[in-house]
Amino acid sequence: MTTAKYALAAAMFAFAIQASGKATLIENVHGYTLAGDRLQSFTGLVFDHGKVVATGNAAALHTRFVSANVIDGQDKDIITGHDRCSWPCS
């Protein structure tokens, strides 16, 4: 991916974080996070006001967060941490 595409992706992510107070769902991703001492995978991630509020199956998250802004993760990897998220990883 070119530098311009990374810059565009970063700008889209930053804009989504500051969006109008609605939660944001990033779908179509290969996500990984630690749940206790085991690695958990997910296809969707929801954040609100800069904090991750849910991870799981993207279709199920659509039904839980009906009014969320939606971002297509373009089949990229997301790795979450204690209080941060790296996107896109690839």
Side-chain angles (χ1 to χ4, degrees):
M1 184 180 271
T2 66
T3 303
K5 288 183 182 177
Y6 277 120
L8 177 60
M12 285 174 41
F13 188 65
F15 175 75
I17 289 174
Q18 298 174 7
S20 64
K22 288 179 19 178
T24 300
L25 167 63
I26 303 176
E27 63 179 2
N28 188 23
V29 296
H30 304 279
Y32 307 95
T33 191
L34 286 176
D37 62 347
R38 68 182 187 93
L39 187 64
Q40 181 177 2
S41 62
F42 56 88
T43 59
L45 177 142
V46 178
F47 63 92
D48 194 9
H49 294 93
K51 299 220 184 243
V52 175
V53 295
T55 60
N57 176 279
L61 292 173
H62 268 287
T63 61
R64 283 181 54 201
F65 298 91
V66 177
S67 64
N69 296 313
V70 178
I71 295 175
D72 179 3
Q74 301 175 355
D75 210 30
K76 302 291 184 190
D77 296 331
I78 293 181
I79 300 172
T80 63
H82 294 287
D83 63 351
R84 34 182 92 86
C85 178
S86 298
W87 181 74
C89 297
S90 60

Coordinates of all heavy atoms in Angstrom, one line a residue:
M1 N 0.9 -1.2 0.0 CA 0.0 0.0 0.0 C 0.9 1.2 0.0 O 1.9 1.3 0.7 CB -0.9 0.0 1.2 CG -1.9 1.1 1.3 SD -3.0 1.1 2.7 CE -4.3 0.1 2.1
T2 N 0.5 2.2 -0.8 CA 1.3 3.4 -0.9 C 1.1 4.3 0.4 O 0.2 4.2 1.1 CB 1.0 4.2 -2.1 OG1 -0.4 4.7 -2.0 CG2 1.1 3.4 -3.4
T3 N 2.1 5.2 0.5 CA 2.0 6.2 1.7 C 0.7 7.0 1.6 O 0.1 7.2 2.6 CB 3.2 7.1 1.6 OG1 4.4 6.3 1.7 CG2 3.2 8.0 2.8
A4 N 0.3 7.4 0.4 CA -0.9 8.2 0.3 C -2.1 7.4 0.7 O -3.0 7.9 1.4 CB -1.1 8.6 -1.2
K5 N -2.2 6.1 0.4 CA -3.3 5.2 0.9 C -3.3 5.1 2.4 O -4.4 5.1 3.0 CB -3.3 3.9 0.2 CG -3.6 3.9 -1.3 CD -3.6 2.6 -1.9 CE -4.0 2.6 -3.4 NZ -3.9 1.3 -4.0
Y6 N -2.1 4.9 3.0 CA -2.1 4.9 4.4 C -2.5 6.2 5.1 O -3.3 6.2 6.1 CB -0.6 4.6 4.9 CG -0.3 3.1 4.9 CD1 0.8 2.7 4.1 CD2 -1.0 2.2 5.6 CE1 1.1 1.3 4.1 CE2 -0.6 0.9 5.6 CZ 0.4 0.4 4.9 OH 0.8 -0.9 4.9
A7 N -2.1 7.3 4.5 CA -2.6 8.6 5.0 C -4.1 8.7 4.9 O -4.7 9.2 5.8 CB -1.9 9.7 4.2
L8 N -4.6 8.3 3.8 CA -6.1 8.4 3.6 C -6.8 7.5 4.6 O -7.8 7.9 5.2 CB -6.5 7.9 2.2 CG -8.0 7.9 1.9 CD1 -8.6 9.3 2.1 CD2 -8.2 7.4 0.5
A9 N -6.3 6.3 4.8 CA -6.9 5.4 5.8 C -6.8 6.0 7.2 O -7.8 5.9 8.0 CB -6.2 4.0 5.8
A10 N -5.7 6.5 7.6 CA -5.6 7.2 8.9 C -6.5 8.3 9.0 O -7.1 8.5 10.1 CB -4.1 7.6 9.1
A11 N -6.7 9.1 8.0 CA -7.6 10.3 8.0 C -9.0 9.8 8.2 O -9.8 10.4 9.0 CB -7.4 11.1 6.8
M12 N -9.4 8.8 7.5 CA -10.8 8.2 7.6 C -11.0 7.7 9.0 O -12.1 8.0 9.6 CB -11.0 7.1 6.6 CG -11.1 7.5 5.2 SD -11.2 6.1 4.0 CE -12.3 5.0 4.8
F13 N -10.0 7.0 9.6 CA -10.2 6.5 10.9 C -10.3 7.6 12.0 O -11.1 7.6 12.8 CB -9.0 5.6 11.3 CG -9.1 4.8 12.6 CD1 -10.1 3.9 12.7 CD2 -8.3 5.1 13.6 CE1 -10.2 3.2 13.9 CE2 -8.4 4.4 14.8 CZ -9.4 3.4 14.9
A14 N -9.4 8.6 11.8 CA -9.5 9.8 12.7 C -10.8 10.5 12.6 O -11.4 10.9 13.6 CB -8.3 10.7 12.5
F15 N -11.3 10.7 11.4 CA -12.6 11.4 11.2 C -13.7 10.5 11.9 O -14.6 11.1 12.5 CB -12.9 11.6 9.7 CG -14.3 12.1 9.5 CD1 -14.5 13.5 9.7 CD2 -15.3 11.3 9.1 CE1 -15.8 14.0 9.5 CE2 -16.6 11.8 8.8 CZ -16.8 13.2 9.1
A16 N -13.7 9.2 11.7 CA -14.7 8.4 12.3 C -14.8 8.5 13.8 O -15.8 8.4 14.4 CB -14.5 6.9 11.8
I17 N -13.6 8.5 14.4 CA -13.6 8.6 15.9 C -14.3 9.9 16.3 O -14.9 9.9 17.4 CB -12.1 8.6 16.4 CG1 -11.5 7.2 16.2 CG2 -12.0 9.1 17.8 CD1 -10.0 7.1 16.5
Q18 N -14.2 11.0 15.6 CA -14.7 12.3 16.0 C -16.1 12.5 15.4 O -16.7 13.5 15.6 CB -13.8 13.4 15.6 CG -12.5 13.3 16.2 CD -11.5 14.4 15.6 OE1 -11.9 15.2 14.9 NE2 -10.3 14.3 16.0
A19 N -16.7 11.5 14.8 CA -18.0 11.6 14.2 C -19.1 11.9 15.2 O -18.9 11.6 16.4 CB -18.4 10.3 13.4
S20 N -20.1 12.4 14.8 CA -21.2 13.0 15.5 C -21.7 12.2 16.8 O -22.9 12.2 17.0 CB -22.4 13.1 14.6 OG -22.8 11.9 14.1
G21 N -20.9 11.6 17.6 CA -21.3 11.0 18.8 C -22.0 9.6 18.6 O -22.3 8.9 19.5
K22 N -22.1 9.1 17.3 CA -22.6 7.8 17.0 C -21.4 6.8 17.1 O -20.3 7.1 16.8 CB -23.2 7.7 15.6 CG -24.5 8.5 15.5 CD -25.2 8.5 14.2 CE -24.8 7.5 13.2 NZ -25.5 7.6 11.9
A23 N -21.8 5.6 17.5 CA -20.8 4.5 17.5 C -20.4 4.2 16.0 O -21.1 4.6 15.1 CB -21.4 3.2 18.1
T24 N -19.2 3.7 15.8 CA -18.7 3.3 14.5 C -18.4 1.9 14.5 O -17.7 1.3 15.4 CB -17.5 4.2 14.2 OG1 -17.8 5.6 14.2 CG2 -16.9 3.8 12.8
L25 N -18.8 1.2 13.4 CA -18.5 -0.2 13.2 C -17.6 -0.4 12.1 O -17.8 0.2 11.0 CB -19.8 -1.0 12.9 CG -19.7 -2.4 12.3 CD1 -19.0 -3.3 13.3 CD2 -21.1 -2.9 11.9
I26 N -16.4 -1.0 12.3 CA -15.5 -1.4 11.2 C -15.8 -2.8 10.9 O -15.6 -3.7 11.8 CB -14.0 -1.2 11.7 CG1 -13.8 0.3 12.1 CG2 -13.1 -1.5 10.5 CD1 -12.4 0.5 12.6
E27 N -16.2 -3.1 9.7 CA -16.5 -4.5 9.3 C -15.6 -5.0 8.3 O -14.7 -4.2 7.8 CB -18.0 -4.6 8.8 CG -18.2 -3.7 7.5 CD -19.6 -3.8 7.0 OE1 -20.5 -4.5 7.6 OE2 -19.8 -3.2 5.9
N28 N -15.7 -6.3 7.9 CA -14.8 -6.8 6.9 C -13.4 -6.7 7.3 O -12.5 -6.2 6.5 CB -15.1 -6.2 5.5 CG -14.4 -6.8 4.4 OD1 -14.0 -8.0 4.5 ND2 -14.1 -6.1 3.3
V29 N -13.1 -7.2 8.5 CA -11.7 -7.2 9.0 C -11.3 -8.6 9.5 O -12.2 -9.4 9.8 CB -11.5 -6.2 10.1 CG1 -11.7 -4.8 9.6 CG2 -12.4 -6.4 11.3
H30 N -10.0 -8.8 9.7 CA -9.5 -9.9 10.4 C -8.9 -9.4 11.7 O -7.8 -8.8 11.7 CB -8.4 -10.6 9.6 CG -8.8 -11.0 8.2 ND1 -9.5 -12.2 8.0 CD2 -8.6 -10.4 7.0 CE1 -9.7 -12.3 6.7 NE2 -9.2 -11.2 6.1
G31 N -9.7 -9.4 12.8 CA -9.4 -8.8 14.0 C -8.9 -9.8 15.1 O -9.3 -11.0 15.1
Y32 N -8.0 -9.3 15.9 CA -7.4 -10.2 17.0 C -7.3 -9.4 18.2 O -6.9 -8.2 18.2 CB -6.1 -10.7 16.6 CG -6.1 -11.4 15.2 CD1 -5.8 -10.8 14.1 CD2 -6.5 -12.8 15.1 CE1 -5.9 -11.4 12.8 CE2 -6.6 -13.4 13.9 CZ -6.3 -12.7 12.8 OH -6.3 -13.3 11.5
T33 N -7.7 -10.0 19.4 CA -7.5 -9.4 20.7 C -7.3 -10.4 21.7 O -7.6 -11.6 21.5 CB -8.8 -8.5 21.0 OG1 -8.5 -7.7 22.2 CG2 -10.0 -9.4 21.2
L34 N -6.8 -10.0 22.9 CA -6.6 -11.0 23.9 C -7.9 -11.0 24.8 O -8.3 -9.9 25.2 CB -5.4 -10.7 24.8 CG -4.1 -11.0 24.1 CD1 -2.9 -10.5 25.0 CD2 -3.9 -12.5 23.8
A35 N -8.4 -12.2 25.1 CA -9.5 -12.3 26.1 C -8.9 -13.2 27.2 O -8.8 -14.4 27.0 CB -10.7 -13.0 25.4
G36 N -8.5 -12.6 28.3 CA -7.8 -13.3 29.3 C -6.5 -13.7 28.8 O -5.7 -12.9 28.4
D37 N -6.2 -15.0 28.7 CA -4.9 -15.5 28.3 C -5.0 -16.2 26.9 O -4.1 -16.9 26.5 CB -4.3 -16.4 29.3 CG -5.2 -17.7 29.5 OD1 -6.3 -17.7 29.1 OD2 -4.6 -18.6 30.1
R38 N -6.1 -16.0 26.2 CA -6.2 -16.6 24.9 C -6.5 -15.5 23.8 O -7.1 -14.5 24.1 CB -7.3 -17.7 24.9 CG -8.7 -17.2 25.1 CD -9.7 -18.4 25.1 NE -11.0 -17.8 25.1 CZ -11.8 -17.6 24.0 NH1 -11.3 -18.0 22.8 NH2 -13.0 -17.1 24.1
L39 N -6.1 -15.9 22.6 CA -6.3 -15.0 21.4 C -7.7 -15.2 20.9 O -8.2 -16.3 20.7 CB -5.3 -15.3 20.3 CG -5.3 -14.4 19.1 CD1 -4.9 -13.0 19.6 CD2 -4.3 -14.9 18.1
Q40 N -8.5 -14.1 20.7 CA -9.8 -14.2 20.2 C -9.8 -13.4 18.9 O -9.3 -12.3 18.7 CB -10.8 -13.5 21.2 CG -12.2 -13.5 20.8 CD -13.1 -12.9 21.8 OE1 -12.7 -12.4 22.9 NE2 -14.4 -12.9 21.6
S41 N -10.5 -14.0 17.9 CA -10.6 -13.4 16.6 C -12.0 -12.8 16.4 O -13.0 -13.2 17.0 CB -10.3 -14.3 15.4 OG -11.2 -15.4 15.4
F42 N -12.1 -11.8 15.5 CA -13.4 -11.1 15.2 C -13.4 -10.6 13.8 O -12.3 -10.4 13.2 CB -13.7 -10.0 16.2 CG -12.6 -8.9 16.4 CD1 -12.7 -7.8 15.5 CD2 -11.6 -9.0 17.3 CE1 -11.7 -6.8 15.6 CE2 -10.7 -8.1 17.4 CZ -10.7 -6.9 16.6
T43 N -14.6 -10.3 13.3 CA -14.7 -9.8 11.9 C -15.3 -8.3 12.0 O -15.4 -7.7 10.9 CB -15.7 -10.6 11.1 OG1 -17.0 -10.7 11.7 CG2 -15.1 -12.0 10.9
G44 N -15.7 -7.9 13.2 CA -16.2 -6.5 13.3 C -15.8 -5.9 14.6 O -15.6 -6.6 15.6
L45 N -15.6 -4.6 14.7 CA -15.2 -3.9 15.9 C -16.0 -2.6 15.9 O -16.2 -1.9 14.9 CB -13.7 -3.5 15.8 CG -13.1 -2.7 16.9 CD1 -11.7 -3.2 17.2 CD2 -13.1 -1.3 16.6
V46 N -16.6 -2.3 17.1 CA -17.4 -1.1 17.3 C -16.6 -0.3 18.3 O -16.2 -0.7 19.4 CB -18.8 -1.4 17.9 CG1 -19.6 -0.2 18.1 CG2 -19.5 -2.3 16.9
F47 N -16.5 1.0 18.0 CA -15.9 2.0 19.0 C -16.8 3.2 19.0 O -17.6 3.5 18.1 CB -14.5 2.3 18.6 CG -14.3 3.0 17.3 CD1 -14.3 4.4 17.3 CD2 -14.1 2.3 16.2 CE1 -14.1 5.1 16.1 CE2 -13.9 3.0 15.0 CZ -13.9 4.4 14.9
D48 N -16.7 3.9 20.2 CA -17.5 5.1 20.4 C -16.6 6.0 21.3 O -16.0 5.6 22.3 CB -18.8 4.7 21.2 CG -19.8 5.9 21.2 OD1 -19.6 6.9 20.5 OD2 -20.8 5.8 21.9
H49 N -16.5 7.2 20.9 CA -15.7 8.2 21.5 C -14.3 7.7 21.7 O -13.7 7.9 22.8 CB -16.3 8.7 22.9 CG -17.6 9.4 22.7 ND1 -18.8 8.7 22.7 CD2 -17.9 10.7 22.4 CE1 -19.8 9.6 22.5 NE2 -19.2 10.8 22.3
G50 N -13.7 7.0 20.7 CA -12.3 6.6 20.8 C -12.1 5.3 21.6 O -10.9 4.9 21.7
K51 N -13.1 4.7 22.1 CA -12.9 3.5 22.9 C -13.6 2.3 22.3 O -14.8 2.4 21.8 CB -13.4 3.7 24.3 CG -12.7 4.8 25.1 CD -12.5 4.4 26.5 CE -11.9 5.5 27.2 NZ -10.6 5.3 27.7
V52 N -13.0 1.2 22.2 CA -13.6 0.0 21.7 C -14.7 -0.5 22.7 O -14.4 -0.6 23.9 CB -12.5 -1.2 21.5 CG1 -13.2 -2.5 21.1 CG2 -11.5 -0.8 20.5
V53 N -15.9 -0.7 22.2 CA -17.0 -1.1 23.0 C -17.5 -2.5 22.7 O -18.1 -3.1 23.5 CB -18.2 -0.1 22.9 CG1 -17.8 1.3 23.5 CG2 -18.7 0.0 21.5
A54 N -17.1 -3.1 21.5 CA -17.5 -4.4 21.2 C -16.7 -5.0 20.1 O -16.3 -4.2 19.2 CB -19.0 -4.5 20.9
T55 N -16.4 -6.3 20.1 CA -15.8 -7.0 19.0 C -16.6 -8.3 18.8 O -17.3 -8.7 19.7 CB -14.3 -7.3 19.3 OG1 -14.3 -8.2 20.4 CG2 -13.5 -6.1 19.4
G56 N -16.6 -8.8 17.6 CA -17.3 -10.0 17.4 C -17.7 -10.2 15.9 O -17.0 -9.6 15.0
N57 N -18.7 -11.0 15.6 CA -19.1 -11.2 14.3 C -19.8 -9.9 13.7 O -20.7 -9.3 14.4 CB -20.2 -12.3 14.3 CG -20.8 -12.6 12.9 OD1 -21.7 -11.9 12.5 ND2 -20.2 -13.6 12.2
A58 N -19.3 -9.4 12.6 CA -19.8 -8.1 12.1 C -21.3 -8.1 11.8 O -21.9 -7.1 12.1 CB -19.0 -7.8 10.8
A59 N -21.8 -9.2 11.3 CA -23.3 -9.2 11.1 C -24.1 -9.1 12.4 O -25.1 -8.4 12.5 CB -23.7 -10.5 10.4
A60 N -23.6 -9.8 13.4 CA -24.3 -9.6 14.8 C -24.1 -8.2 15.3 O -25.1 -7.7 15.9 CB -23.7 -10.7 15.7
L61 N -23.0 -7.6 15.1 CA -22.8 -6.3 15.6 C -23.7 -5.3 14.9 O -24.1 -4.3 15.4 CB -21.3 -5.9 15.5 CG -20.3 -6.6 16.4 CD1 -18.9 -6.3 16.0 CD2 -20.6 -6.3 17.8
H62 N -24.0 -5.5 13.6 CA -24.9 -4.7 12.8 C -26.3 -4.7 13.5 O -26.9 -3.6 13.6 CB -25.1 -5.2 11.4 CG -24.2 -4.6 10.4 ND1 -24.3 -3.3 10.0 CD2 -23.1 -5.1 9.8 CE1 -23.3 -3.1 9.1 NE2 -22.6 -4.2 8.9
T63 N -26.7 -5.8 14.0 CA -28.0 -5.8 14.7 C -28.0 -5.2 16.0 O -29.0 -4.6 16.5 CB -28.6 -7.3 14.8 OG1 -27.7 -8.1 15.6 CG2 -28.7 -7.9 13.4
R64 N -26.9 -5.2 16.7 CA -26.8 -4.6 18.1 C -26.6 -3.1 18.0 O -27.0 -2.4 18.8 CB -25.6 -5.2 18.8 CG -25.8 -6.5 19.4 CD -24.7 -7.1 20.2 NE -24.2 -6.2 21.2 CZ -23.0 -6.2 21.8 NH1 -22.1 -7.1 21.4 NH2 -22.7 -5.4 22.7
F65 N -25.9 -2.6 16.9 CA -25.6 -1.2 16.8 C -26.2 -0.7 15.4 O -25.4 -0.3 14.5 CB -24.1 -1.0 16.8 CG -23.4 -1.4 18.1 CD1 -22.9 -2.7 18.3 CD2 -23.4 -0.5 19.2 CE1 -22.4 -3.1 19.5 CE2 -22.8 -0.9 20.4 CZ -22.3 -2.2 20.5
V66 N -27.5 -0.7 15.3 CA -28.2 -0.4 14.1 C -27.8 1.0 13.6 O -27.7 1.2 12.3 CB -29.7 -0.5 14.3 CG1 -30.5 -0.2 13.1 CG2 -30.1 -1.9 14.8
S67 N -27.7 2.0 14.4 CA -27.4 3.3 13.9 C -26.0 3.7 13.8 O -25.6 4.9 13.6 CB -28.1 4.3 14.9 OG -27.6 4.3 16.1
A68 N -25.1 2.7 14.0 CA -23.6 3.0 13.9 C -23.2 3.4 12.5 O -23.7 3.0 11.5 CB -22.8 1.8 14.3
N69 N -22.2 4.3 12.5 CA -21.5 4.6 11.2 C -20.8 3.3 10.8 O -20.3 2.6 11.7 CB -20.5 5.7 11.4 CG -21.1 7.0 11.7 OD1 -22.1 7.4 11.1 ND2 -20.6 7.7 12.7
V70 N -20.7 3.0 9.5 CA -20.0 1.8 9.1 C -18.8 2.1 8.2 O -19.0 2.9 7.3 CB -21.0 0.8 8.4 CG1 -20.3 -0.4 7.9 CG2 -22.2 0.5 9.3
I71 N -17.7 1.5 8.5 CA -16.5 1.6 7.7 C -16.1 0.2 7.2 O -16.1 -0.8 7.9 CB -15.3 2.1 8.5 CG1 -15.6 3.6 9.0 CG2 -14.0 2.1 7.7 CD1 -14.5 4.1 9.9
D72 N -15.9 0.1 5.9 CA -15.4 -1.1 5.3 C -13.9 -1.3 5.6 O -13.1 -0.5 5.1 CB -15.7 -1.1 3.8 CG -15.2 -2.4 3.1 OD1 -14.7 -3.4 3.8 OD2 -15.3 -2.5 1.9
G73 N -13.6 -2.3 6.4 CA -12.2 -2.5 6.7 C -11.3 -3.1 5.6 O -10.1 -3.3 5.7
Q74 N -11.9 -3.3 4.4 CA -11.3 -3.8 3.2 C -10.4 -5.0 3.4 O -9.3 -5.1 2.9 CB -10.5 -2.6 2.6 CG -11.3 -1.4 2.3 CD -10.5 -0.2 1.8 OE1 -9.3 -0.3 1.8 NE2 -11.2 0.8 1.4
D75 N -10.9 -5.9 4.3 CA -10.2 -7.2 4.5 C -8.8 -7.0 5.1 O -8.0 -7.9 5.0 CB -10.1 -8.0 3.2 CG -10.1 -9.5 3.3 OD1 -10.7 -9.9 4.3 OD2 -9.5 -10.2 2.5
K76 N -8.7 -6.0 5.9 CA -7.4 -5.7 6.6 C -7.4 -6.3 8.0 O -8.4 -6.8 8.5 CB -7.2 -4.2 6.7 CG -7.2 -3.4 5.4 CD -5.9 -3.8 4.6 CE -5.9 -2.9 3.4 NZ -4.9 -3.3 2.5
D77 N -6.2 -6.3 8.6 CA -6.0 -6.8 10.0 C -6.2 -5.7 11.0 O -5.7 -4.6 10.7 CB -4.7 -7.5 10.1 CG -4.4 -8.7 9.2 OD1 -5.4 -9.4 8.9 OD2 -3.3 -8.9 8.9
I78 N -6.8 -6.0 12.1 CA -6.9 -5.1 13.2 C -6.4 -5.9 14.5 O -6.8 -7.0 14.7 CB -8.3 -4.6 13.5 CG1 -8.8 -3.7 12.4 CG2 -8.4 -3.8 14.8 CD1 -10.2 -3.2 12.6
I79 N -5.5 -5.2 15.2 CA -5.0 -5.8 16.4 C -5.3 -4.8 17.6 O -4.9 -3.7 17.5 CB -3.5 -6.1 16.4 CG1 -3.2 -7.1 15.2 CG2 -3.0 -6.7 17.7 CD1 -1.8 -7.3 15.0
T80 N -6.1 -5.2 18.5 CA -6.5 -4.4 19.6 C -5.5 -4.6 20.8 O -5.0 -5.7 20.9 CB -7.9 -4.6 20.1 OG1 -8.0 -5.9 20.6 CG2 -8.9 -4.3 19.0
G81 N -5.4 -3.6 21.6 CA -4.6 -3.7 22.8 C -5.4 -3.3 24.0 O -6.6 -3.3 24.0
H82 N -4.7 -3.0 25.1 CA -5.5 -2.6 26.3 C -6.4 -1.4 26.1 O -7.5 -1.4 26.5 CB -4.5 -2.3 27.5 CG -3.7 -3.5 27.9 ND1 -4.3 -4.6 28.6 CD2 -2.4 -3.9 27.6 CE1 -3.4 -5.5 28.8 NE2 -2.3 -5.1 28.2
D83 N -5.9 -0.4 25.5 CA -6.7 0.8 25.3 C -6.4 1.4 23.9 O -6.7 2.6 23.7 CB -6.4 1.8 26.4 CG -5.0 2.3 26.4 OD1 -4.1 1.8 25.7 OD2 -4.7 3.3 27.1
R84 N -5.8 0.7 23.0 CA -5.6 1.2 21.7 C -5.9 0.2 20.6 O -6.0 -1.0 20.9 CB -4.2 1.8 21.5 CG -3.1 1.1 22.3 CD -1.8 1.7 22.0 NE -1.4 2.8 23.0 CZ -0.9 2.5 24.1 NH1 -0.5 1.3 24.5 NH2 -0.6 3.5 25.0
C85 N -5.9 0.6 19.4 CA -6.2 -0.2 18.3 C -5.3 0.2 17.1 O -5.2 1.4 16.8 CB -7.7 -0.1 17.9 SG -8.1 -1.1 16.5
S86 N -4.7 -0.8 16.5 CA -3.8 -0.5 15.3 C -4.6 -0.9 14.0 O -5.0 -2.0 13.9 CB -2.5 -1.3 15.4 OG -1.8 -0.9 16.5
W87 N -4.8 0.1 13.1 CA -5.5 -0.2 11.9 C -5.0 0.7 10.8 O -4.8 1.9 11.0 CB -7.0 0.0 12.1 CG -7.8 -0.3 10.9 CD1 -8.2 -1.5 10.4 CD2 -8.4 0.7 10.1 NE1 -8.9 -1.3 9.3 CE2 -9.1 0.0 9.1 CE3 -8.5 2.1 10.0 CZ2 -9.8 0.6 8.1 CZ3 -9.2 2.7 9.0 CH2 -9.9 1.9 8.0
P88 N -4.8 0.3 9.6 CA -4.7 -1.1 9.2 C -3.4 -1.7 9.5 O -2.4 -1.0 9.5 CB -5.0 -1.1 7.7 CG -4.5 0.2 7.3 CD -4.7 1.2 8.5
C89 N -3.3 -3.0 9.7 CA -2.0 -3.6 9.9 C -1.4 -4.1 8.7 O -0.2 -4.3 8.6 CB -2.2 -4.8 10.9 SG -2.8 -4.3 12.5
S90 N -2.1 -4.4 7.6 CA -1.5 -4.9 6.4 C -2.1 -4.1 5.2 O -3.0 -3.3 5.3 CB -1.9 -6.4 6.2 OG -3.2 -6.6 6.2

